[in-house]
Amino acid sequence: QGPYQIVYLSPGDYHRVHMPVSGNIVGWHHVPGRLFSVNDANLRRESGLFARNERLVTLIDGDATGLCACVMVAAFGVGNITVSYDAEVETHRKQISDGSVRTRCFESPPRAERGDELGIFHLGSTAIAVFAPGRVDLLPLCAGTPVRVGQTIGRVLSLHQSGENRP
């Protein structure tokens, strides 16, 4: 139920995904799925396309945002995703025989700062940053607006603004 930002990476774009917030990477989920193209025509034609395509979800305990997720959505020709924080992550569909979700929770979560490299698409696709309700206020971006590394896409709300009562 929280805010999210979708960033489409075309074949001509930069194919690295960076940390949307500073915090500890607490784990990941690899969700096998289809590899539909994520262009505008397919988004209109294929219902629930982002939920049907293969995904790698990185869970981050953000310093100021609480739990958030960075979802790397694979697409046609882009089933290979690697991440900077765990060399064991492999998303090659051919290597996943039973189609089951794989999960890893870190006992000692690796630390990463906002802007650090999170992962790489080995071509292009889509990245989605999802935040807990009431923790961030995302800036309005028009569809098709390029987003650059280091660009502000939102602001963290104070605990008072979010309505949360915690020390």
Side-chain angles (χ1 to χ4, degrees):
Q1 300 297 313
Y4 59 92
Q5 184 68 56
I6 299 172
V7 178
Y8 169 70
L9 303 171
S10 72
D13 288 333
Y14 177 77
H15 295 103
R16 295 172 188 267
V17 176
H18 294 264
M19 288 282 291
V21 298
S22 294
N24 294 322
I25 299 170
V26 295
W28 54 262
H29 301 287
H30 173 238
V31 185
R34 303 287 303 267
L35 291 178
F36 290 110
S37 173
V38 293
N39 61 31
D40 285 339
N42 265 3
L43 285 173
R44 286 189 296 274
R45 183 175 36 250
E46 298 293 338
S47 176
L49 185 138
F50 291 141
R52 294 169 62 197
N53 272 20
E54 180 173 10
R55 294 161 319 281
L56 181 67
V57 181
T58 300
L59 300 173
I60 305 161
D61 184 8
D63 296 343
T65 59
L67 191 63
C68 67
C70 188
V71 184
M72 295 176 72
V73 181
F76 180 74
V78 206
N80 185 1
I81 299 169
T82 56
V83 292
S84 303
Y85 60 85
D86 190 343
E88 294 181 24
V89 173
E90 294 182 14
T91 64
H92 306 281
R93 285 189 58 203
K94 294 174 188 162
Q95 296 176 355
I96 309 300
S97 59
D98 65 359
S100 62
V101 174
R102 295 181 304 136
T103 297
R104 180 170 185 192
C105 295
F106 295 108
E107 289 183 26
S108 298
R111 172 97 186 147
E113 302 301 319
R114 183 175 62 88
D116 286 353
E117 183 178 283
L118 180 70
I120 302 168
F121 286 109
H122 297 275
L123 193 52
S125 193
T126 300
I128 305 170
V130 183
F131 300 93
R135 301 305 291 264
V136 299
D137 183 27
L138 295 176
L139 300 175
L141 294 175
C142 294
T145 301
V147 177
R148 304 284 182 230
V149 174
Q151 177 180 336
T152 298
I153 62 168
R155 64 184 178 88
V156 175
L157 297 173
S158 70
L159 294 179
H160 174 71
Q161 287 174 297
S162 70
E164 184 172 324
N165 293 319
R166 79 175 196 196

